[in-house]
């Protein structure tokens, strides 16, 4: 019997997690037992691809009948001339407005990546803090995913290019065209959460 690809296993899990292989089930060993094996993930997830001047936001609804419907996506583009502190305010307002428009149940965000430039790390950390401050006020659960894990779950391998991520996101969400890169990444983060989480809030 041919071995299934990682992507095939994740797709199968999204369609019906209860039929997953033993290896995929073992990856959920750290999940809360009371929430495990309850069927397809359900909820409205806000995916966030954080950046100071090009944050991607995506709202995807998952139900027992759909693998995911894109409700909203946006790239928060901020002028390079705007002061950093003002950028943080714009990021907060962008997330806050989305949370007021949609009944978000969970938030998935790209985890902090390793960067060698200390100043870049500071900016990324502050940007992420501004984005999550709006989420914290609403007391919503937040889940972080490393970029490699997101690509592994959605595309099938951790070194996938941005074009491959965008194409796969369009296919999974049945979109008519490809989204801007930051929005596609935000969608991928939300999809990763739905594929790998057993939480249903």
């Amino acid at each position: 019997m041919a071995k299934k690809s990682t992507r095939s296993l994740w797709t199968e899990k999204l369609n019906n997690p209860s039929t997953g292989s033993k290896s995929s089930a073992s990856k959920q060993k750290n999940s809360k037992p009371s929430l495990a094996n309850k069927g397809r993930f359900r909820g409205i997830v806000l995916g966030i691809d954080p950046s100071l001047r090009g944050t991607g936001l995506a709202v995807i609804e998952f139900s027992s009948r759909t693998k995911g419907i894109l409700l909203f996506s946006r790239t928060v583009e901020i002028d390079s001339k705007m002061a950093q502190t003002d950028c943080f305010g714009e990021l907060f307002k962008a997330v806050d407005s989305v949370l007021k428009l949609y009944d978000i149940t969970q938030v998935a965000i790209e985890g902090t990546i390793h960067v060698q430039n200390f100043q870049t790390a500071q900016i990324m950390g502050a940007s992420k803090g501004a984005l999550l401050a709006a989420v914290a006020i609403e007391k919503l659960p937040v889940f972080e995913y490393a970029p490699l894990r997101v690509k592994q779950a959605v595309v099938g391998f951790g070194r996938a290019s941005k074009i491959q991520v965008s194409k796969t996101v369009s296919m999974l969400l049945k979109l008519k065209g490809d989204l801007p890169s930051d929005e596609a990444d935000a969608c991928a983060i939300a999809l990763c959460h739905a594929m790998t989480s057993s939480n249903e809030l």
Side-chain angles (χ1 to χ4, degrees):
M1 180 177 177
K3 186 177 179 180
K4 293 183 179 180
S5 68
T6 305
R7 179 176 169 185
S8 297
L9 290 171
W10 282 126
T11 302
E12 181 179 311
K13 177 176 177 61
L14 180 59
N15 290 332
N16 189 356
S18 62
T19 62
S21 66
K22 289 183 179 179
S23 60
S24 64
S26 66
K27 293 178 182 179
Q28 299 295 331
K29 63 183 179 180
N30 293 325
S31 300
K32 296 179 181 179
S34 61
L35 294 176
N37 301 319
K38 288 191 176 182
R40 179 180 289 171
F41 176 90
R42 295 190 295 272
I44 300 179
V45 181
L46 169 61
I48 304 177
D49 179 37
S51 176
L52 180 65
R53 302 187 187 275
T55 289
L57 303 175
V59 178
I60 302 179
E61 180 177 9
F62 301 92
S63 72
S64 58
R65 292 177 293 179
T66 66
K67 300 176 187 178
I69 297 176
L70 180 62
L71 302 180
F72 168 89
S73 69
R74 175 193 173 190
T75 301
V76 186
E77 296 180 343
I78 300 177
D79 193 288
S80 60
K81 296 179 181 179
M82 182 177 287
Q84 283 187 18
T85 51
D86 292 332
C87 290
F88 301 146
E90 290 300 311
L91 293 175
F92 177 93
K93 289 189 290 185
V95 172
D96 183 61
S97 65
V98 173
L99 296 178
K100 285 179 168 58
L101 284 174
Y102 298 94
D103 188 17
I104 307 296
T105 56
Q106 301 180 42
V107 175
I109 189 169
E110 183 179 85
T112 302
I113 60 176
H114 174 73
V115 292
Q116 294 184 352
N117 185 294
F118 179 71
Q119 185 176 12
T120 299
Q122 279 189 313
I123 293 172
M124 287 299 296
S127 300
K128 188 174 175 182
L131 292 161
L132 292 180
V135 177
I137 289 174
E138 299 298 327
K139 301 187 185 306
L140 292 172
V142 178
F143 301 82
E144 294 190 22
Y145 297 95
L148 287 178
R149 184 179 179 187
V150 172
K151 293 177 180 179
Q152 182 72 38
V154 176
V155 181
F157 53 99
R159 299 297 178 182
S161 68
K162 281 188 171 292
I163 292 177
Q164 289 171 317
V165 171
S166 180
K167 294 292 184 185
T168 305
V169 163
S170 295
M171 180 190 69
L172 293 174
L173 295 176
K174 295 180 168 51
L175 304 178
K176 293 182 179 180
D178 295 339
L179 294 169
S181 178
D182 295 316
E183 294 171 38
D185 287 346
C187 286
I189 293 163
L191 285 165
C192 173
H193 178 63
M195 289 175 173
T196 61
S197 174
S198 61
N199 293 293
E200 300 176 25
L201 301 183

